[in-house]
Amino acid sequence: MYDKMTIGVLGLQGAFSKHLAMLRNLNVNTILIRYPDELEKCDGLIFPGGESTTMCKLIDEMNIRSRIEKFDRPIFGTCAGAILLSTDAGDSRVQTFGKVPIKTRRNAWGRQLESFISDVRLSFDPEPFKAVFIRAPKLSDPEKDVKILGTLNDEIVLVQYQNIILTTFHPELTDDTRIHEYFVKLVEENK
Amino acid sequence: MNKGSFEVKVGLAEMLKGGVIMDVTTPEQAKIAEDAGAVAVMALERIPADIRAHGGIARMSSPKVIKAIQDTVSIPVMAKCRIGHFAEAQILESLEVDFIDESEVLTPADEENHIWKHDFKVPFVCGCRDLGEALRRIGEGAAMIRTKGEAGSGNVVEAVRHMRRVQQEIRGLTVLRDDELMAAAKKLGAPFEIVKEVARSGKLPVPNFAAGGIATPADAALMMQLGAESVFVGSGIFKSEDPSARAQAIVMATTYYNDAKKLAEISMDLKEAMEGLDIASIPEEERLAKRGW
């Protein structure tokens, strides 16, 4: 169905295989990105969850940073991926890309004992989304062009800015494909 | 809001995939590990090689050591409790460690029973030598499995043995007919429902990591190619001559485990690895992998 599209998943560390499985279920061609040149082949890119400090280290070791800075196609960042795409993580250990004008705070819900599953509200679908939050960050201070697409009580948990979406939770850990489908459509429109 | 469910526990294990979990004994070591790109640290009073050398009873680390390490790093902090010692596990949970390792590296507190891990909100990782042992631990609630290997030996041979055995036994299950699975479960000594699930999916229901004797980037690459989803490095880093460089090299090797050129490049300037032990030189009764069942 989406046979003319290829979405890359950054495969340095973290939950990349879950994202690949999700995309394959949606009949999207995928590639695992571990080298700078591979980014050229992608119509869209997923920044998975994992440890942001580890990913930062590998991005710099492998000289991928400048390529990602230049990448202007759609990007989807989950959890640690969202942290890396924000303007400021408030932590000198994590150098962010500043692609989305919003602030993040790492592990803002607390340690693993505070990880949880909860329904979140989506702006584009009346059906709530069962979202898995793992040592999740919090988003704050979005600039006015950032669209808020998902909330949990007063917290912003899903945003879109131009052709980039960020979630603080892990849609790849569930069977619900709606957020990945939303991203795939974004990639299709941007082609 | 649902906290501490099995799904939430496995969720953290998923986030640690493709990474390196490093044993550390001080906040300074924890900082070195985090800076090198570790996905988590295991807070210990002594690393396995020193536990082995020191002898005596090895117990849970002092809460003070764990707290100091938690205050230093932003990555998940794990800690070990003795096999079957659920009171130690309760204390570790109250300290809000991110993962508990019910570990054969410490002296077992119960020679028959492991901890009933479903009672806890914090996730557990447990060691195994074969599929039956892995599935028994999952039945008790473990959210991550690792090979036992032979901790503190600097010798990867036992980890290889355990990983191969688990993978072979998984493959063996996938070719069985439904009416053969009960007998297979009996033979493995494993819960039938989980045996059925593994036979259908061809993999463990929780992430499967490697541990015990990993000392070089090549060791990490070997374990990843054999099917490990992450590696634990215990004594291998801080018993080497260049902990920081070695830690970084093992992190790189765990991501680029299929790229021999890259592995050669990152191994190029490393100093001596930890010395290591021939497994045959370790008396039977001192082998840590034999603890637990």
Side-chain angles (χ1 to χ4, degrees):
Chain A
M1 150 188 194
Y2 295 109
D3 51 347
K4 290 199 183 96
M5 173 199 298
T6 300
I7 295 182
V9 179
L10 200 60
L12 301 175
Q13 190 274 317
F16 50 82
S17 50
K18 294 278 174 192
H19 280 290
L20 290 170
M22 197 70 140
L23 292 171
R24 285 182 196 133
N25 279 343
L26 295 173
N27 293 316
V28 175
N29 294 323
T30 56
I31 40 172
L32 191 61
I33 307 289
R34 285 185 172 145
Y35 299 91
D37 289 345
E38 292 168 332
L39 277 169
E40 308 294 322
K41 302 171 203 157
C42 309
D43 301 307
L45 176 66
I46 294 184
F47 254 72
E51 280 305 315
S52 52
T53 47
T54 304
M55 281 189 234
C56 238
K57 179 92 197 157
L58 288 161
I59 284 168
D60 289 330
E61 286 281 335
M62 293 302 288
N63 301 315
I64 303 177
R65 186 170 290 276
S66 63
R67 296 293 187 95
I68 293 174
E69 279 166 359
K70 279 183 229 140
F71 191 84
D72 58 1
R73 289 166 228 167
I75 309 180
F76 174 14
T78 52
C79 197
I83 293 170
L84 291 173
L85 293 163
S86 70
T87 41
D88 181 12
D91 187 334
S92 60
R93 289 172 278 217
V94 179
Q95 208 191 332
T96 62
F97 285 95
K99 283 184 177 277
V100 178
I102 195 164
K103 287 184 185 166
T104 45
R105 195 152 54 87
R106 298 178 62 210
N107 310 331
W109 297 89
R111 299 182 192 277
Q112 172 61 13
L113 281 177
E114 302 303 320
S115 292
F116 62 96
I117 296 176
S118 179
D119 278 352
V120 306
R121 280 216 303 212
L122 304 176
S123 65
F124 55 90
D125 196 314
E127 189 70 26
F129 193 97
K130 187 186 133 192
V132 184
F133 291 83
I134 305 293
R135 288 173 43 99
K138 285 186 180 178
L139 298 169
S140 66
D141 306 296
E143 283 187 14
K144 68 174 178 2
D145 296 333
V146 177
K147 286 191 280 183
I148 293 164
L149 302 184
T151 52
L152 169 59
N153 305 324
D154 295 335
E155 293 296 334
I156 306 167
V157 297
L158 166 59
V159 297
Q160 178 175 358
Y161 175 70
Q162 296 169 352
N163 60 0
I164 302 178
I165 59 173
L166 308 179
T167 63
T168 57
F169 57 92
H170 293 283
E172 79 283 6
L173 295 183
T174 65
D175 298 325
D176 193 333
T177 56
R178 284 178 292 160
I179 296 169
H180 283 78
E181 282 174 68
Y182 185 96
F183 179 63
V184 169
K185 282 192 193 115
L186 199 62
V187 176
E188 197 169 44
E189 286 161 18
N190 275 264
K191 260 183 75 85
Chain B
M1 223 180 256
N2 159 357
K3 290 183 190 176
S5 67
F6 192 64
E7 227 177 326
V8 167
K9 292 173 178 174
V10 175
L12 180 56
E14 291 289 343
M15 295 310 133
L16 300 174
K17 280 187 180 174
V20 184
I21 299 150
M22 303 183 191
D23 279 3
V24 299
T25 57
T26 62
E28 292 73 29
Q29 288 184 352
K31 183 86 180 63
I32 291 171
E34 182 175 57
D35 288 346
V39 288
V41 291
M42 178 76 70
L44 289 167
E45 248 168 32
R46 273 194 287 272
I47 56 176
D50 291 337
I51 290 174
R52 193 180 278 291
H54 186 268
I57 303 299
R59 309 179 178 92
M60 172 187 83
S61 296
S62 136
K64 206 170 176 177
V65 172
I66 295 167
K67 190 76 185 31
I69 291 170
Q70 283 175 320
D71 290 343
T72 305
V73 294
S74 62
I75 54 179
V77 176
M78 303 187 173
K80 289 184 194 290
C81 71
R82 286 180 262 177
I83 290 173
H85 206 315
F86 53 83
E88 282 187 351
Q90 288 161 358
I91 293 168
L92 293 175
E93 182 174 63
S94 81
L95 291 170
E96 299 187 9
V97 301
D98 295 290
F99 239 103
I100 296 177
D101 186 358
E102 186 184 16
S103 178
E104 70 282 0
V105 169
L106 305 183
T107 312
D110 189 325
E111 293 186 335
E112 278 187 41
N113 308 293
H114 284 69
I115 295 171
W116 185 248
K117 293 165 273 286
H118 290 294
D119 277 350
F120 290 78
K121 287 195 179 320
V122 65
F124 278 76
V125 51
C126 291
C128 74
R129 286 161 297 179
D130 54 38
L131 184 61
E133 195 172 11
L135 301 189
R136 288 191 289 278
R137 298 295 85 77
I138 295 167
E140 294 157 357
M144 180 200 293
I145 289 296
R146 58 171 173 77
T147 58
K148 284 184 171 172
E150 187 59 31
S153 71
N155 187 340
V156 80
V157 66
E158 294 299 308
V160 168
R161 190 191 320 280
H162 301 158
M163 184 56 76
R164 277 198 188 273
R165 195 179 291 149
V166 169
Q167 303 286 6
Q168 279 166 6
E169 288 174 330
I170 291 175
R171 285 197 300 274
L173 283 184
T174 61
V175 298
L176 297 184
R177 287 160 47 107
D178 284 351
D179 57 10
E180 294 166 337
L181 290 175
M182 188 59 86
K186 182 185 174 206
K187 201 167 145 219
L188 288 167
F192 175 67
E193 290 303 323
I194 309 178
V195 169
K196 225 167 56 173
E197 191 183 337
V198 172
R200 184 186 48 76
S201 69
K203 58 185 184 55
L204 291 183
V206 304
N208 182 15
F209 291 9
I214 295 159
T216 67
D219 288 348
L222 175 67
M223 296 313 300
M224 292 296 284
Q225 289 191 38
L226 286 172
E229 296 175 296
S230 278
V231 297
F232 283 84
V233 186
S235 317
I237 292 171
F238 291 102
K239 275 285 163 192
S240 75
E241 288 181 7
D242 50 355
S244 173
R246 182 162 297 269
Q248 287 185 48
I250 295 177
V251 168
M252 292 287 285
T254 303
T255 298
Y256 295 96
Y257 62 88
N258 266 328
D259 182 341
K261 270 197 178 144
K262 192 87 211 157
L263 294 170
E265 188 188 306
I266 59 185
S267 306
M268 198 75 78
D269 294 319
L270 293 181
K271 295 183 190 154
E272 282 291 301
M274 73 178 282
E275 196 167 344
L277 294 168
D278 182 350
I279 302 298
S281 74
I282 307 172
E284 281 281 323
E285 68 278 8
E286 288 177 23
R287 292 189 195 168
L288 303 177
K290 299 184 64 111
R291 296 168 166 182
W293 56 279

